[in-house]
Amino acid sequence: MFKYLKLKNKKGFSTIEVLATALVFSIAAVAIAGITAKSLQLQRRATATQKIQENAMFVLEYMAREIRLSSIRNQDSNCATTVLNLTHPVSGAVSYNIVNGTVIRTANGFSENLSSNDIQFSRMVFCIRGSPLGDNQPTRITILTTISDRSPSTLASINLQTTITTRVIAN
């Protein structure tokens, strides 16, 4: 049945040719694996950065809305204040601080977490600027924060700064 398929030249690949081919494919496979690992690492870092930014925007915007309508109880301009105390027209006495990397809002004796468990606020200080009460100038509060993700090996860390001016002018 196969009598017409006889090959006259029965030579194959030499050992050196096989080893050279295996070396080329091994180098290509290692390069592709490295590129894939790096792209996965970059994707994880981008996801962690996005979580940090979304949560930080929520926390800072929440605080800004309350600060704009409130009068500030602690007037300290040396940028060392870690607790912000204010008097809100509806909520009354409100304070913001960090406990174990979580931003805590306390109002009328009730505390609530503002930040998620995925991120950690490692620093949050308040620079309270403005003239003392009685000069008809609004108070400016600059919030300086350092935020990172809570993964075992920190993928991303962001420093943020924002300044909020109160709309309350004290007489």
Side-chain angles (χ1 to χ4, degrees):
M1 168 180 200
F2 294 107
K3 64 181 177 180
Y4 297 110
L5 293 176
K6 288 186 180 178
L7 298 175
K8 292 184 180 179
N9 192 357
K10 294 184 179 182
K11 290 184 180 180
F13 294 108
S14 69
T15 305
I16 293 174
E17 291 172 333
V18 171
L19 288 175
T21 305
L23 177 66
V24 169
F25 284 122
S26 297
I27 291 172
V30 167
I32 291 171
I35 291 169
T36 303
K38 188 65 175 175
S39 66
L40 284 173
Q41 180 186 18
L42 290 173
Q43 195 273 335
R44 286 185 187 126
R45 187 165 191 252
T47 302
T49 302
Q50 182 180 4
K51 282 182 185 179
I52 291 170
Q53 288 176 340
E54 287 174 356
N55 201 271
M57 283 189 332
F58 170 77
V59 169
L60 293 175
E61 183 59 31
Y62 191 95
M63 291 172 65
R65 274 191 244 141
E66 223 164 35
I67 290 170
R68 283 186 195 109
L69 299 175
S70 302
S71 60
I72 309 305
R73 290 190 287 163
N74 50 338
Q75 295 284 330
D76 184 12
S77 62
N78 61 6
C79 294
T81 304
T82 57
V83 177
L84 178 65
N85 296 310
L86 49 97
T87 303
H88 190 266
V90 176
S91 302
V94 177
S95 67
Y96 291 99
N97 64 336
I98 295 178
V99 176
N100 297 327
T102 303
V103 177
I104 305 292
R105 175 187 181 268
T106 305
N108 297 322
F110 296 105
S111 297
E112 63 179 325
N113 296 347
L114 290 183
S115 58
S116 74
N117 295 329
D118 295 337
I119 67 167
Q120 174 176 350
F121 281 78
S122 55
R123 175 181 72 118
M124 186 164 67
V125 294
F126 302 97
C127 298
I128 303 168
R129 306 247 189 239
S131 302
L133 299 176
D135 67 350
N136 293 329
Q137 295 292 320
T139 305
R140 292 179 315 277
I141 300 168
T142 301
I143 304 172
L144 306 165
T145 62
T146 301
I147 311 162
S148 59
D149 63 314
R150 288 190 190 252
S151 63
S153 61
T154 301
L155 296 172
S157 180
I158 296 177
N159 294 319
L160 292 175
Q161 174 180 333
T162 187
T163 301
I164 304 156
T165 303
T166 62
R167 294 181 182 160
V168 176
I169 297 176
N171 293 330

